[in-house]
Amino acid sequence: MVRFEDVVLRYGKGPEILKHISLQFDPGSYHFLVGASGAGKSSLLRMMYLAQHPSDGRVALFGRDIAGLSRRETALLRRQIGVVFQDFRLLEHLTARENVALPLQISGEAGARSAKDVEELLSWVGLADHMDALPPTLSGGQQQRVAIARAVIGRPSLLLADEPTGNLDDRMAVRLLYLFEELNKIGTTVVIATHNESLVQRFRHPITRLSGGEIDSSGDSAAAPKREAP
Amino acid sequence: MSRRRKHQAVPLDRDASGRYLPLLVAIMVYLAALALAGAMVANKLASRWDSGLAGALTVQLPAAAPAAENATGNDPVLPAVVALLEQTQGVIAVDAMQTSEISALLEPWLGDAVLAGDLPLPRLIAVTVDAGQPPDLAALRRSVLAIAPGSLVDDHQRWLSHLLDLAWAVEIMAIVIVAMVVCAAAIMVAFVTRMGLAAHEQAIELLHLIGAQDSYVARQFQNHALSLGLRGGLIGLLCALPTLYLGRHLLQRINSGLLPEMSLLPHEWSLLILLPVASALVTMLTARFTVLRTLARMP
Ligand SMILES: Nc1ncnc2c1ncn2[C@@H]1O[C@H](COP(=O)(O)OP(=O)(O)OP(=O)(O)O)[C@@H](O)[C@H]1O
Ligand SMILES: [Mg+2]
């Protein structure tokens, strides 16, 4: 599903943020991506949702090398990827409902049926009373839930969530992680980047730990968090 | 409830361009409407002059020698030429103008001297010819000169061709004006579209990240441009109508017989009414083209 071979990432002429990353996430798997702030988690995800090309090395998604993709192919591939951005990236002039429906509208699946799906999903994440609210009038946690709903509404094959629980209390965080769990059960590959080690401990999924721009260790168990300078 | 509100992925309707673009389009459509109407009137004048003068000749005889006139009280040359003309193949009617008619024509310029009769006046013969089978002009000229040396046989072609050149030039100028207006509008819309792309960069990036193709983004811009262009076009046309009406009124006041009926025909009206449609199309296509081109250049 996701395959990195010797990937190096530099922003401009800056230092190497990621050095020689090789990893493989199989279809239907569920991974946590952990690491200190500034370790490069978001940068790694950015390459997975095609917002960033590697400076060196190869990235393949769905078995296809992303280097040769046309703009059209890129767009179609992205429709199979749901992303929860660390900074949400909601469109501020659209209501919660419209924001969540946007991926359906773009892929041409919007309809009466999907309008109901949107409402159900928003209710499920606890926003039944805020469907027609504009993002700036919502709290950080509420906005985050809108962002999560938007990421999963299209039933993506690959779900990439960058710090999806950062603004949520533990109860809501666990609830949403169960949502991801459910999606994973119906075949979605899930990758979650987070600081929240206690959450990571609750779910038994492989952990990829970034440190110093490299993958520190990987395995089925969550190691104790390391404290590293960014 | 939210369905009432227009769902716009890129909030273009909040941009300042939404306020200025229709005004600019209105001005351009106004100019284009005047230019087009001018071209159509020029075209009408040209065809009217063309057909009005095609069947006419004027024969001008030199002023009669005072001696000859005194002797007989009449000039024998004029009847001879009239007889010749009447017998010529292709001539339909011959009308020798009376001296008094010519005097009346010239009086505004020459004053009483003409009326006093002591000025030698040329004599004019208006000839109507069959436009389908006109007489051989060169032969006719030779025959007339044989009877009355110094006469002129004028088929108005020189004068007419100058007028037609003028009308043609007016038409060309009008077309050039319309073309320039279209170019200016396109440049302006391209500029506004680029500003919009920059202003909404983040929203557009987000749309791309969740799978939008360039055509989806382009559609946002082109729909917006379409409605602005149509609105501007209608305003421009509405403003042009009173101006055209005034122009027609002024032209009719100087109606000298040379000017044909100035009102536009239905198909000419429909051309003017198509202007807002055309402006909407130009703004829409320009916006679409600009977006697609700009996005395609992005990495
Ligand atoms: N657009 C950018 N241009 C230049 N440098 C960048 C850019 N984005 C990130 N970086 C740098 O890359 C490094 C990794 O950033 P990244 O956002 O991937 O970290 P992160 O692990 O997601 O951190 P956090 O947990 O705080 O979100 C940081 O040192 C940051 O300064
Ligand atoms: Mg991050």
Side-chain angles (χ1 to χ4, degrees):
Chain A
M1 178 62 60
V2 180
R3 203 178 142 83
F4 280 47
E5 279 176 31
D6 235 1
V7 167
V8 176
L9 180 66
R10 243 179 263 111
Y11 286 107
K13 293 203 186 313
E16 289 182 354
I17 304 299
L18 296 172
K19 307 165 191 165
H20 307 289
I21 303 279
S22 291
L23 56 77
Q24 173 155 359
F25 296 159
D26 291 327
S29 58
Y30 191 131
H31 297 264
F32 283 113
L33 189 58
V34 299
S37 177
K41 304 183 293 294
S42 299
S43 303
L44 195 65
L45 288 182
R46 218 171 281 148
M47 286 190 278
M48 294 185 195
Y49 57 74
L50 301 165
Q52 185 76 52
H53 278 274
S55 310
D56 203 358
R58 275 162 39 87
V59 174
L61 294 174
F62 300 93
R64 296 196 55 182
D65 193 326
I66 64 161
L69 292 178
S70 68
R71 285 181 74 79
R72 191 184 127 78
E73 289 167 331
T74 304
L76 296 181
L77 206 59
R78 278 168 171 162
R79 289 184 190 175
Q80 302 182 55
I81 306 173
V83 187
V84 183
F85 301 95
Q86 190 167 12
D87 51 356
F88 317 147
R89 299 215 195 175
L90 302 175
L91 295 184
E92 298 195 342
H93 64 286
L94 297 183
T95 62
R97 191 200 299 269
E98 290 166 340
N99 266 290
V100 174
L102 203 53
L104 300 177
Q105 210 216 340
I106 283 174
S107 60
E109 293 163 36
R113 171 90 192 82
S114 63
K116 230 178 123 246
D117 286 353
V118 169
E119 288 184 7
E120 270 172 22
L121 188 55
L122 276 169
S123 304
W124 203 88
V125 298
L127 292 174
D129 297 336
H130 300 281
M131 295 204 196
D132 293 312
L134 295 174
T137 69
L138 295 172
S139 75
Q142 288 168 333
Q143 291 184 37
Q144 189 151 39
R145 282 177 274 160
V146 176
I148 290 168
R150 184 182 63 190
V152 302
I153 188 72
R155 302 192 188 182
S157 311
L158 175 61
L159 179 70
L160 305 173
D162 197 348
E163 214 66 69
T165 57
N167 293 276
L168 303 175
D169 57 72
D170 277 355
R171 221 176 59 83
M172 185 50 85
V174 169
R175 186 177 167 85
L176 286 170
L177 286 180
Y178 275 116
L179 172 64
F180 296 159
E181 207 83 355
E182 289 305 313
L183 280 170
N184 182 238
K185 278 186 194 145
I186 60 170
T188 302
T189 309
V190 178
V191 181
I192 297 177
T194 183
H195 290 123
N196 194 330
E197 297 278 354
S198 66
L199 266 183
V200 172
Q201 310 280 2
R202 281 177 99 120
F203 298 88
R204 301 197 157 272
H205 293 300
I207 296 169
T208 302
R209 187 174 299 278
L210 275 179
S211 160
E214 289 174 287
I215 294 179
D216 196 31
S217 66
S218 65
D220 278 19
S221 66
K226 291 183 180 175
R227 306 232 163 256
E228 280 163 23
Chain B
M1 288 169 237
S2 65
R3 257 161 233 145
R4 188 164 38 87
R5 216 158 61 85
K6 183 93 166 51
H7 185 112
Q8 237 194 350
V10 183
L12 294 166
D13 51 3
R14 298 168 186 207
D15 292 357
S17 65
R19 263 166 276 148
Y20 298 116
L21 199 61
L23 271 183
L24 288 168
V25 171
I27 292 169
M28 298 189 160
V29 166
Y30 178 87
L31 293 176
L34 295 195
L36 264 184
M40 292 185 295
V41 167
N43 181 284
K44 259 190 226 285
L45 288 177
S47 58
R48 154 102 177 216
W49 287 330
D50 207 4
S51 62
L53 293 177
L57 286 180
T58 308
V59 178
Q60 181 186 329
L61 306 181
E69 205 166 337
N70 288 348
T72 58
N74 225 327
D75 176 20
V77 177
L78 182 63
V81 173
V82 169
L84 168 74
L85 289 169
E86 277 170 344
Q87 283 154 27
T88 307
Q89 276 280 325
V91 170
I92 294 171
V94 180
D95 177 23
M97 289 175 86
Q98 299 299 314
T99 318
S100 57
E101 287 180 86
I102 300 171
S103 307
L105 276 176
L106 293 177
E107 193 199 338
W109 286 276
L110 302 179
D112 291 342
V114 183
L115 297 179
D118 44 0
L119 202 71
L121 286 178
R123 286 146 302 168
L124 294 176
I125 307 168
V127 183
T128 310
V129 300
D130 182 353
Q133 288 179 299
D136 178 356
L137 201 65
L140 186 63
R141 204 169 266 150
R142 259 181 272 117
S143 323
V144 170
L145 278 174
I147 305 172
S151 345
L152 288 171
V153 178
D154 183 7
D155 63 351
H156 310 290
Q157 282 309 316
R158 254 165 59 95
W159 184 75
L160 184 64
S161 75
H162 287 166
L163 270 182
L164 291 180
D165 282 352
L166 177 66
W168 188 72
V170 168
E171 277 183 72
I172 296 286
M173 273 191 317
I175 290 166
V176 168
I177 288 175
V178 171
M180 290 201 312
V181 161
V182 168
C183 281
I187 290 169
M188 195 179 71
V189 172
F191 179 71
V192 167
T193 303
R194 273 161 188 264
M195 285 205 316
L197 281 169
H200 300 289
E201 195 184 358
Q202 294 206 337
I204 291 166
E205 190 193 357
L206 183 270
L207 292 174
H208 276 134
L209 287 179
I210 60 179
Q213 297 198 42
D214 293 346
S215 58
Y216 179 88
V217 179
R219 222 173 302 138
Q220 308 284 321
F221 279 84
Q222 84 195 34
N223 290 346
H224 183 63
L226 178 76
S227 83
L228 295 186
L230 189 63
R231 206 180 313 159
L234 286 172
I235 295 171
L237 183 64
L238 282 180
C239 293
L241 290 181
T243 312
L244 291 178
Y245 185 80
L246 181 70
R248 179 186 158 204
H249 178 70
L250 292 177
L251 273 176
Q252 279 180 337
R253 270 205 333 200
I254 56 162
N255 192 348
S256 63
L258 268 181
L259 300 177
E261 176 55 33
M262 284 300 151
S263 51
L264 298 174
L265 299 173
H267 75 270
E268 292 168 328
W269 272 116
S270 55
L271 205 61
L272 286 182
I273 286 167
L274 276 179
L275 275 176
V277 179
S279 70
L281 275 178
V282 167
T283 52
M284 183 188 96
L285 292 176
T286 309
R288 178 180 175 80
F289 180 73
T290 308
V291 171
L292 289 180
R293 228 171 60 127
T294 310
L295 292 182
R297 283 205 207 125
M298 298 199 333

